[in-house]
Amino acid sequence: EGSLWLEELLASDDLDPFEKDRLRFNLREIKRQKLLLDDRDSTIAAFVCSLPALKYQLDLLVSIPGVSLCSGAAILAAIGDVSRFRSKEKLASYFGLTARVKQSGETCRMGRISKQGNAYARFMLVESADWLRKSVPVYARFYDRIKKKKNHNVAKVAVARKLAELCWILLTRSQEFIYAKPRNTDEKRAAF
């Protein structure tokens, strides 16, 4: 881990006193931030565990590589009751991850994503999608195919749309992600 390396560097004589002081301050700040994150995660976990149906849904979502306790809870909070969405495309549209359509007569033009809906949940989906595409080859190939035509950001958002659709599928079918990594999933579940 990087913190251990920094601790070793602090113990060595390779740094002058000013650099050691600055490094000591940064290490304290890292520890403080980690405590704050752990506190936030425990608060979320306590709330989720108090509601068995929500805990079950979060168990399904954390089987997806890239979806953590925090991002899964944010996605579930934005979705609410998944049965209110008739299809996976409706859920992706709710998050604002679908293209705008400008249509007039015979002409139909597809634009950028609509960005309708919860911006924080959309951000969580995009960040989780970045991890998903790095972990699952199917999504990595999809990302690479889009990136060749467009660019990194467009491809990342396209994977986020797939992730939103995947969330709908898992929640409506009550099944875990087929490409789940059991060890990582168990570690995430153990956290709450």
Side-chain angles (χ1 to χ4, degrees), residues 120-192:
Y120 183 70
R122 185 172 48 255
F123 169 77
M124 287 296 199
L125 282 165
V126 171
E127 290 303 307
S128 296
D130 204 31
W131 283 101
L132 176 64
R133 67 126 177 138
K134 292 174 183 174
S135 304
V136 181
V138 173
Y139 292 94
R141 287 192 299 274
F142 175 74
Y143 166 84
D144 290 337
R145 194 174 71 239
I146 302 294
K147 186 179 175 192
K148 284 179 187 174
K149 295 176 190 174
K150 303 285 184 171
N151 63 44
H152 165 74
N153 290 334
V154 172
K156 199 161 93 167
V157 170
V159 175
R161 178 183 175 165
K162 291 284 188 189
L163 176 58
E165 293 174 352
L166 176 64
C167 290
W168 184 87
I169 291 168
L170 297 183
L171 293 172
T172 56
R173 295 181 186 170
S174 295
Q175 67 184 41
E176 288 190 10
F177 184 49
I178 193 169
Y179 299 113
K181 298 186 176 180
R183 184 175 173 208
N184 291 345
T185 302
D186 291 342
E187 286 174 2
K188 288 190 273 187
R189 287 179 178 151
F192 62 93

Side-chain angles (χ1 to χ4, degrees), residues 72-143:
I75 292 166
L76 282 175
I79 292 173
D81 182 15
V82 74
S83 64
R84 65 191 180 118
F85 301 100
R86 290 193 315 264
S87 68
K88 60 185 181 178
E89 293 81 11
K90 298 278 185 191
L91 180 60
S93 178
Y94 174 76
F95 283 121
L97 294 169
T98 55
R100 290 183 181 177
V101 178
K102 295 181 182 180
Q103 194 169 11
S104 176
E106 303 278 324
T107 307
C108 179
R109 284 180 277 152
M110 305 295 275
R112 298 172 184 251
I113 63 168
S114 66
K115 293 189 180 179
Q116 299 287 317
N118 189 326
Y120 183 70
R122 185 172 48 255
F123 169 77
M124 287 296 199
L125 282 165
V126 171
E127 290 303 307
S128 296
D130 204 31
W131 283 101
L132 176 64
R133 67 126 177 138
K134 292 174 183 174
S135 304
V136 181
V138 173
Y139 292 94
R141 287 192 299 274
F142 175 74
Y143 166 84

Side-chain angles (χ1 to χ4, degrees), residues 32-46:
R32 189 181 76 79
Q33 291 295 326
K34 185 169 179 352
L35 287 172
L36 289 173
L37 289 174
D38 290 346
D39 185 49
R40 182 212 54 205
D41 285 350
S42 65
T43 302
I44 292 170

Side-chain angles (χ1 to χ4, degrees), residues 44-65:
I44 292 170
F47 176 75
V48 167
C49 289
S50 70
L51 303 168
L54 188 62
K55 183 180 183 305
Y56 175 72
Q57 290 178 333
L58 189 59
D59 275 345
L60 296 175
L61 291 186
V62 297
S63 69
I64 304 169

